[in-house]
Amino acid sequence: EAGVAQSPRYKIIEKRQSVAFWCNPISGHATLYWYQQILGQGPKLLIQFQNNGVVDDSQLPKDRFSAERLKGVDSTLKIQPAKLEDSAVYLCASSFVAGIQETQYFGPGTRLLVL
Amino acid sequence: AQTVTQSQPEMSVQEAETVTLSCTYDTSESDYYLFWYKQPPSRQMILVIRQEAYKQQNATENRFSVNFQKAAKSFSLKISDSQLGDAAMYFCARAAGNMLTFGGGTRLMVKP
């Protein structure tokens, strides 16, 4: 079974530029998550999708971050414009369904450096 | 905010020895799950073990076991017979409501 795929793996941009990350979850997984992991910290949830609907985006900085999952499969996360403090690893995860008992499977992450 | 705290930023263990990683959490939910995830350097995060809060019996997975103290809101991970491949960041996490909340992590070093 293929795991969660993410691209690109690394991205370097200058502040005020825009950037987009892509995630393909495990086949059949209805729930998709985006996390931000700042160096030395645990991941922090940005947004959770159930199929193509948003379940929770309370911690997404909506003035600069946006995410979509139009067909209920792949997802993109965009930052526009980027700030220095956005430097982090962006992790995508998926689970079969939403629920506290569900194991989340993580992708390898996209490491973003904003200069 | 409901938090998950890992008080040990770094731990080291001799190969083949046993090490315990600490985690405390808070929650107002009666129904929740607890997880330990492992994140090797430059590799993706994988689940090590999980515990349902309503179960009194501590979860075990081969060399990994937990000590779940519900009243104290404590959830420690014991790694027995440590191996070089156990070297990684370990994150404790609590799932309640719709959200998985992570602790700050403990870096485990294994000495040959």
Side-chain angles (χ1 to χ4, degrees):
Chain A
E1 178 182 79
V4 176
Q6 291 187 247
S7 68
R9 293 294 310 276
Y10 304 92
K11 191 74 177 178
I12 301 175
I13 62 172
E14 298 197 347
K15 60 183 179 183
R16 292 188 288 274
Q17 286 187 324
S18 61
V19 64
F21 313 128
W22 173 83
C23 173
N24 180 240
I26 292 173
S27 178
H29 279 195
T31 310
L32 185 147
Y33 314 79
W34 282 102
Y35 289 87
Q36 180 192 58
Q37 186 177 19
I38 293 173
L39 185 65
Q41 299 181 18
K44 183 187 82 171
L45 180 70
L46 292 175
I47 189 168
Q48 176 183 344
F49 291 95
Q50 178 71 16
N51 295 310
N52 60 352
V54 175
V55 174
D56 185 346
D57 64 356
S58 58
Q59 298 190 82
L60 187 73
K62 298 182 186 65
D63 57 334
R64 298 184 299 105
F65 286 66
S66 64
E68 60 184 12
R69 193 184 184 200
L70 292 176
K71 297 183 179 179
V73 181
D74 294 4
S75 176
T76 55
L77 176 69
K78 297 179 182 178
I79 308 175
Q80 181 179 13
K83 292 185 175 182
L84 297 178
E85 57 262 36
D86 298 332
S87 295
V89 176
Y90 291 85
L91 298 170
C92 180
S94 70
S95 61
F96 185 62
V97 293
I100 60 173
Q101 76 283 2
E102 289 296 313
T103 296
Q104 295 186 23
Y105 296 86
F106 286 81
T110 296
R111 187 175 300 273
L112 174 68
L113 179 61
V114 182
L115 301 176
Chain B
Q2 298 189 6
T3 59
V4 178
T5 303
Q6 294 179 248
S7 59
Q8 306 151 317
E10 280 191 1
M11 292 283 285
S12 66
V13 62
Q14 203 71 35
E15 194 176 6
E17 297 294 308
T18 295
V19 65
T20 299
L21 309 184
S22 301
C23 173
T24 58
Y25 62 94
D26 63 42
T27 183
S28 56
E29 305 280 348
S30 58
D31 189 18
Y32 57 92
Y33 279 65
L34 298 164
F35 302 84
W36 278 97
Y37 278 88
K38 171 185 178 182
Q39 189 176 41
S42 301
R43 295 180 62 186
Q44 60 207 78
M45 196 171 306
I46 56 172
L47 178 69
V48 174
I49 197 166
R50 70 178 194 175
Q51 173 81 40
E52 296 97 311
Y54 64 85
K55 284 190 176 179
Q56 292 188 342
Q57 186 174 6
N58 290 323
T60 62
E61 285 287 342
N62 300 315
R63 298 183 295 107
F64 299 87
S65 61
V66 299
N67 183 3
F68 175 45
Q69 301 290 325
K70 190 171 184 177
K73 293 189 169 66
S74 169
F75 182 61
S76 60
L77 175 69
K78 186 171 83 170
I79 306 174
S80 304
D81 186 26
S82 297
Q83 300 175 0
L84 295 178
D86 295 334
M89 285 291 293
Y90 286 81
F91 292 96
C92 176
R94 180 209 68 231
N98 276 327
M99 188 175 292
L100 186 65
T101 302
F102 287 86
T106 296
R107 181 177 304 280
L108 178 65
M109 295 172 286
V110 182
K111 300 176 182 177

